[in-house]
Amino acid sequence: MMKNENGKQSPSLLEKESTGGDIASSGFDFQAYLILCKLPHWLSFEGFSSVIWESVGDIEAKFFDPQIGEVIEAIEAKDHRITPTEFWEEINRFKKMDEGSPGTYRWFTLSCTGLSETLHPLKNGLRRLRDPYPFYSHTSGVFENSYEEYKEKVIGLGKSEEMAEFLFHKVSIEDKWGSLSEKAKGMFNNEFNQHLPGYDLRGSEQEKVFDVLHSIVRSQKNKPVFRQQLKQAMHSVIGEDAIPTDQKIYIHTEIYKLPKEPRKINFLWEPFFGEKDRKYPESAVWTEELYNNVVETKKWIEKNRSSKRIHLSGNRRLSSAMAIGSVFSSVSGFSIEAEQREGGIWATDAHPNNQTPECEFVVDFEEGVDNQLIVTIGITRDSIANEVAVYLKGQRHSISSKLHLHTESPIITAEQANLVVKKLKKEIKAAATKVDAEKVHLFYAGPSHLVLFLGHRWNGMPSVQCYEWVNTGQYVPTCTF
């Protein structure tokens, strides 16, 4: 923990920098209007959960990140032009907050009406470096040369290399709020239309939304205002036909370190994709990190969102798909619609009807001598049973009961996938009951959307150990749930 100049632990809700707003009321209108103009942007992020003002920082917005839990963007709001001295005082304050409470703050923003001319080269240098940032590799000469030049600018201002790094990675500078006090409603409307285009508001309704949100923000000083409060207040003053019908939660599984779609809830699962050589973490890591990421996300959604419909995009391995399906399960009231590589959406609540084509499975059961059940499922891939036999040879599970399920029919619709899952579950449950299985060891070869659907309806089944294919006759255990 860091200590402030009085020897107290910092940051704290009771330190001078945090309680200053209780003593001096100037700037409150600016802060309230700034929150209003930022709300549409924050609400466009699936993980936004709440905002508070006049707490540790002037304004703090909280966001959910599956990898680390809830993190905060801290904002210092200045209704005047910032001088270099005040600028560096605020950046130093941000740095102390970050060091004093590690992992709490993901981003710091200095919002003001303007910057001293001498700070413009620094601000422009940051913009020039950050805007193309996702395009270039961090090890590329372009990025490294540009970053070194930026760093020299900061050092030339008498600051340390450490400060330059902190400023680049964790601080945003906004000097666009010069006319906020006079034009708050117009700026809010522009932000609302840009970030929440799903709403179809007439002019009078936009004004009502502004007024009701302003009232909530003003009445909740030093108290958190939650996403659900904001949404309910907005919806209370507009017609039902103006409210977006799309109330899904957008989740993306990303196989790279940085999310390409930051507004969605992102599972950053690069280690669990294995790349071309299919090198995976240990089984315990799959369960402790990947599976628990999904569990914590479910808890956050149930607490902070009114919808239980998941829109799933991105790439993932079969074990990851099974884990997502099992956590956002049918029995928990969730439904999942998954984007397909070839286009289209498959939904777990697309139920089969009398027009849905059947899918016949070859079923082969071999009883073993313990209470473990090996299950292989092959969709147009009958070699999986032999490959698993090679993998199990000489291992303790080679004596376990084995259930082989195989079909040569492709799965062509979501409705058929649900029909197939019903058959698979019936066969697996019957075999598990017969041998009193305490765990199913699942080996699967087929499209990922089917194993997602299987996980979604795994309720009432034994615990499962998933496996990923590495090479011919080679598998590795992944997550257990």
Side-chain angles (χ1 to χ4, degrees), residues 168-194:
F168 176 76
H169 288 290
K170 301 207 74 167
V171 180
S172 175
I173 304 167
E174 297 178 344
D175 61 344
K176 64 180 182 179
W177 304 108
S179 58
L180 180 60
S181 297
E182 298 81 24
K183 300 181 179 179
K185 283 190 177 182
M187 296 175 80
F188 169 81
N189 290 343
N190 289 338
E191 293 292 310
F192 195 98
N193 294 334
Q194 177 183 347

Side-chain angles (χ1 to χ4, degrees), residues 359-364 376-380 404-409 411 419-421 423-424 427 450:
C359 182
E360 296 302 324
F361 276 82
V362 175
V363 180
D364 183 20
T376 70
I377 301 173
I379 309 299
T380 71
H404 302 301
L405 300 161
H406 166 249
T407 181
E408 286 297 337
S409 301
I411 311 303
L419 185 62
V420 168
V421 163
K423 286 188 174 185
L424 293 174
E427 294 290 350
L450 183 62

Side-chain angles (χ1 to χ4, degrees), residues 94-123:
F94 287 156
K95 193 167 184 292
K96 286 183 178 179
M97 289 171 65
D98 194 49
E99 293 169 348
S101 186
T104 299
Y105 299 97
R106 75 166 184 181
W107 199 249
F108 298 89
T109 300
L110 179 59
S111 297
C112 59
T113 61
L115 286 174
S116 167
E117 292 292 333
T118 58
L119 291 169
H120 284 189
L122 176 61
K123 181 198 74 171

